[in-house]
Amino acid sequence: MLQTTGDGRSTSIVSTLLLVVVLVVAAALRLHDLDRTSIWYDEAVSWSQSNGSLTALLASVATDNYPPLHNILLWLTIPVIGDSETALRLPSAVLGVFAVLLTFLIGKLLTGRITGLTAAALLALSPFHIWYSTEARMYALLAACGLAFLLSTLKVLRTPSSLWLTLLAVSGTLFLYSHVYALLAFAAVGTVCACFALRDLTLGKSFGQLHALHACLAMGISTIAFLPWLYLLAIRANSVAEAGFWIAFPDLPFLNAMVFGITGSLVLFWLLVCLAVLSTVPANWRSQSQEKPSHTNPYALAVCIAYTFGPVALAYLYSLFVQPILFDRYLIASWPGLLLLASAGAHRLSPKLVPAALVAISLVLTFPELKFTLTEKIRPDWRGITEAYLSERSASDRLMLFKGFAAPALAYYLRAPGGFATAETPEDIPKIESASDAGNNWLLVVHTNPQELADAKEAFGTVEAEPLARTFGWGASGLSLYRKPAQNKVETIPEKSD
């Protein structure tokens, strides 16, 4: 008996040390060199929306396609740590590390510490999760809140204490307010819990034994708390449906690219899927170790499956029959779910050998993508193009931006109110130019196709075949900066009357 106790303590100490190592690695990969890449358009929008009053923030986000939780987080942190590139991304990086910890806790609840450590290590090394944990957007928040919601649900299904019921209601609310895709995971988990609650009721269990019903009631509180913003999102959904959306139809090439973007390796994806399927095969789930067997929570696996695959299935069906909405970064909350299921399957094959092998194989298969993410992958380089403009301009010069949707990114780096004008169409360019008393005129063209680029250059009347500066950006133009000296401005000479 004493020997067993000692072994148990040794196992606990070793697992704690391994968890610390995993968290340190996760933090190092996410916190290092946060300002390596430029703030890009979406991040600049988050900065712009979060810079004023809370009322202005809510009003601005209400006209967009997502809930306001991440913006509120930035609104709280900007006065404390500033709005540099690093400061804007720091909350996401911290949430990314927190997601790794939550993954361990959920895995431990499913089949034990080894499953938790395996899944946490896989997420810590995931290039996909690292990348979006270094972006000043809501994706790391979505993953962390989703995992907190999943953990709270599993805890309530096991023992519905007042603490975990409260945490489920709170985490469910935060999850819903993090991103619209949270609705899909929330609905999938809620449906499974409702089915379990109905089953328990038909079995005549007492109220205290209706754990799934307790979970549904807590999720009901989250739903009520989210109703005001759900109404706003419904209004926005109608507008988006009429105007169309930028996401492509999910055909096979699109799906392959999406899967690779998330996993970093198609071979790894199919390996994870096979292990996840193995974890769902009915069997005696008693661990071969001395850890508590997972059959003490019979509904945990079904909830984890719903959390992982529910959003994918619902988004895919919506994309087929309504309009495309399926995109890789929106599935960042589902990704840890697949890792958890695969880790549970690996644990089932062998409590120690296969989980360790899975982490090693994953690192080998995704190392090229991991290296690329950490050292080479970039975002549209607004920092570089703005520096090029500022180094060449004179005080009397005038800058025009084509197109205006990218104004927040330029404003972030220019930091000069009224420092540029926006042109939505090529026809706007000569109108803005003729109304200016500036010296040299500058045109910054962003995110255009070849025809739009040609039309913008023609409207600007530039004599330069190539831009004065060009940095990475999407579309035929990238971020292209053109200059037209003052003497090249076309003056309008009034016609003489007879």
Side-chain angles (χ1 to χ4, degrees), residues 154-196:
L154 297 181
K155 285 287 189 178
V156 168
L157 289 174
R158 172 172 286 188
T159 307
S161 66
S162 57
L163 173 61
W164 282 110
L165 284 167
T166 301
L167 290 176
L168 175 54
V170 172
S171 62
T173 301
L174 294 177
F175 187 34
L176 290 172
Y177 273 98
S178 65
H179 193 272
V180 291
Y181 254 55
L183 282 165
L184 305 181
F186 191 90
V189 171
T191 300
V192 169
C193 288
C195 291
F196 289 151

Side-chain angles (χ1 to χ4, degrees), residues 422-442:
T422 59
E424 299 298 338
T425 66
E427 290 74 21
D428 294 334
I429 295 174
K431 296 177 184 177
I432 296 172
E433 188 179 358
S434 64
S436 170
D437 295 326
N440 299 324
N441 275 297
W442 297 77

Side-chain angles (χ1 to χ4, degrees), residues 350-434:
S350 171
K352 295 181 180 180
L353 181 60
V354 177
L358 176 60
V359 174
I361 292 171
S362 172
L363 182 58
V364 170
L365 291 175
T366 63
F367 183 77
E369 191 67 16
L370 177 62
K371 181 181 178 181
F372 174 70
T373 298
L374 294 174
T375 61
E376 300 177 44
K377 192 173 183 178
I378 58 175
R379 299 175 172 95
D381 190 10
W382 286 93
R383 181 203 301 158
I385 203 68
T386 307
E387 288 175 351
Y389 167 68
L390 293 175
S391 67
E392 296 288 340
R393 72 179 294 271
S394 61
S396 61
D397 288 358
R398 174 73 174 223
L399 175 64
M400 289 178 284
L401 173 66
F402 179 77
K403 307 170 183 176
F405 78 89
L410 182 57
Y412 176 81
Y413 284 105
L414 205 56
R415 301 294 176 120
F420 63 94
T422 59
E424 299 298 338
T425 66
E427 290 74 21
D428 294 334
I429 295 174
K431 296 177 184 177
I432 296 172
E433 188 179 358
S434 64

Side-chain angles (χ1 to χ4, degrees), residues 115 118 122 271-277 279 336-348 354 358:
T115 295
T118 305
L122 292 172
L271 175 61
L272 293 173
V273 169
C274 290
L275 289 171
V277 170
S279 73
L338 179 60
L339 298 180
L340 284 161
L341 292 171
S343 298
H347 180 272
R348 184 169 178 178
V354 177
L358 176 60

Side-chain angles (χ1 to χ4, degrees), residues 72-115:
I72 294 173
L73 179 61
L74 290 182
W75 182 78
L76 292 171
T77 59
I78 286 175
V80 179
I81 61 176
D83 64 351
S84 66
E85 294 157 330
T86 297
L88 291 177
R89 290 167 174 166
L90 184 59
S92 292
V94 173
L95 287 166
V97 178
F98 184 51
V100 174
L101 174 60
L102 290 171
T103 300
F104 166 77
L105 296 176
I106 296 169
K108 182 181 177 183
L109 200 61
L110 283 175
T111 59
R113 294 184 184 92
I114 293 176
T115 295

Side-chain angles (χ1 to χ4, degrees), residues 83-360:
D83 64 351
S84 66
E85 294 157 330
T86 297
L88 291 177
R89 290 167 174 166
L90 184 59
S92 292
V94 173
L95 287 166
V97 178
F98 184 51
V100 174
L101 174 60
L102 290 171
T103 300
F104 166 77
L105 296 176
I106 296 169
K108 182 181 177 183
L109 200 61
L110 283 175
T111 59
R113 294 184 184 92
I114 293 176
T115 295
L117 286 169
T118 305
L122 292 172
L123 187 63
L125 298 171
S126 166
F128 172 70
H129 193 265
I130 291 170
W131 180 250
Y132 288 108
S133 295
T134 60
E135 183 165 292
R137 290 291 279 174
M138 70 290 295
Y139 306 114
L141 176 67
L142 170 64
C145 290
L147 289 168
F149 165 72
L150 178 58
L151 176 63
S152 300
T153 302
L154 297 181
K155 285 287 189 178
V156 168
L157 289 174
R158 172 172 286 188
T159 307
S161 66
S162 57
L163 173 61
W164 282 110
L165 284 167
T166 301
L167 290 176
L168 175 54
V170 172
S171 62
T173 301
L174 294 177
F175 187 34
L176 290 172
Y177 273 98
S178 65
H179 193 272
V180 291
Y181 254 55
L183 282 165
L184 305 181
F186 191 90
V189 171
T191 300
V192 169
C193 288
C195 291
F196 289 151
L198 288 174
R199 178 192 174 195
D200 291 344
L201 286 170
T202 59
L203 293 175
K205 292 184 177 182
S206 65
F207 182 76
Q209 296 175 313
L210 298 174
H211 297 180
L213 180 60
H214 288 85
C216 290
L217 293 174
M219 282 186 263
I221 295 175
S222 301
T223 303
I224 293 171
F226 187 63
L227 283 178
W229 209 269
L230 183 61
Y231 172 74
L232 295 175
L233 288 175
I235 296 174
R236 281 293 301 158
N238 290 332
S239 301
V240 171
E242 293 174 0
F245 205 42
W246 56 270
I247 297 177
F249 184 80
D251 54 15
L252 185 58
F254 178 91
L255 293 175
N256 280 332
M258 185 186 75
V259 167
F260 181 83
I262 295 174
T263 62
S265 165
L266 293 179
V267 174
L268 177 62
F269 169 74
W270 288 113
L271 175 61
L272 293 173
V273 169
C274 290
L275 289 171
V277 170
L278 177 62
S279 73
T280 66
V281 176
N284 182 2
W285 280 79
R286 184 177 296 276
S287 172
Q288 297 179 27
S289 69
Q290 296 174 8
E291 299 175 9
K292 197 170 186 179
S294 63
H295 67 249
T296 54
N297 187 352
Y299 301 149
L301 188 63
V303 168
C304 195
I305 292 171
Y307 175 84
T308 303
F309 297 108
V312 181
L314 292 173
Y316 182 71
L317 291 174
Y318 192 92
S319 298
L320 289 181
F321 298 109
V322 183
Q323 68 178 42
I325 62 168
L326 186 63
F327 205 63
D328 56 1
R329 59 178 178 253
Y330 300 161
L331 296 172
I332 193 169
S334 298
W335 171 230
L338 179 60
L339 298 180
L340 284 161
L341 292 171
S343 298
H347 180 272
R348 184 169 178 178
L349 286 175
S350 171
K352 295 181 180 180
L353 181 60
V354 177
L358 176 60
V359 174

